Amino acid sequence: MTTDSAIQDVVFSEEAIHERVRELGREISSAYSAEDRLVVIGVLKGSFLFMADLVRVIEIPHGIDFLMASSYGDSMVSRGEVALLHDPKTDLEGRAVLLVEDIVDTGTTLSVLLPHLEERGASRVDVVALLHKRLTSGLVEPRWVGFDAPNSFLVGYGLDHAETFRHLPYIASL
Ligand code: IMP
Ligand code: MG
């Protein structure tokens, strides 16, 4: 059972996501070299499917790790505070970090995570976000964006509402 009566529209199909992730993989692969000692860090839990698909199309050798930041909980709006719940164990000193986010909304999460990863000694930190709602102040912009997202609450392909719908292979609006 992969559908629910609360889901309104499929916004990005499984095929569209697959195609865009392959393009992102090509762009990212051409932006790094082996000397960058790239480490790809996924923001749990929302990025887990995107991360799994993306790393399989990045052709530069890279490490994999995850971090966890506090989420919206059951709410559909940002509380404006972000706590780091899990810090990557990987030594980031002198390494290029690619942070993998499911969706950027207000940019609050990134504005906390980026300085933290820089303090951990990363030589550079870039962000790839599958979705971007473009509601940010513009201070923290991802280097790569999969899709511009409508300003509705989205679920599926990792994104949840109150921990439901993460497993959907497509992205839909509630
Ligand atoms: P920001 O800190 O306001 O940029 O929000 C980013 C985080 O909020 C994302 O990593 C998601 O976990 C969550 N989020 C924002 N918009 C949505 C949405 O439409 N659906 C599900 N989660 C969302
Ligand atoms: Mg998230």
Side-chain angles (χ1 to χ4, degrees), residues 67-153:
L67 62 74
M68 191 174 220
S70 56
S71 73
Y72 288 14
D74 291 356
S75 163
M76 290 202 204
V77 289
S78 170
R79 281 194 231 88
E81 7 177 303
V82 180
L84 190 64
L85 304 179
H86 173 76
D87 206 8
K89 295 283 184 288
T90 306
D91 182 3
L92 305 181
E93 191 65 43
R95 300 188 67 172
V97 169
L98 177 64
L99 191 66
V100 180
E101 253 288 33
D102 51 359
I103 183 164
V104 176
D105 182 5
T106 62
T108 309
T109 304
L110 290 183
S111 71
V112 170
L113 296 182
L114 266 65
H116 174 74
L117 295 168
E118 277 158 10
E119 274 164 32
R120 294 241 354 233
S123 57
R124 90 190 224 216
V125 184
D126 290 295
V127 177
V128 55
L130 181 67
L131 299 158
H132 196 338
K133 285 186 177 167
R134 310 248 177 232
L135 300 179
T136 60
S137 58
L139 290 175
V140 187
E141 285 296 328
R143 180 165 175 190
W144 293 281
V145 171
F147 301 103
D148 281 339
N151 188 23
S152 53
F153 198 82

Side-chain angles (χ1 to χ4, degrees), residues 28-29 32-41 58 60-64 95-99 124:
I28 290 165
S29 298
Y32 295 94
S33 64
E35 295 79 67
D36 294 318
R37 298 171 58 232
L38 177 64
V39 56
V40 181
I41 298 180
I58 296 178
I60 304 296
H62 58 279
I64 305 253
R95 300 188 67 172
V97 169
L98 177 64
L99 191 66
R124 90 190 224 216

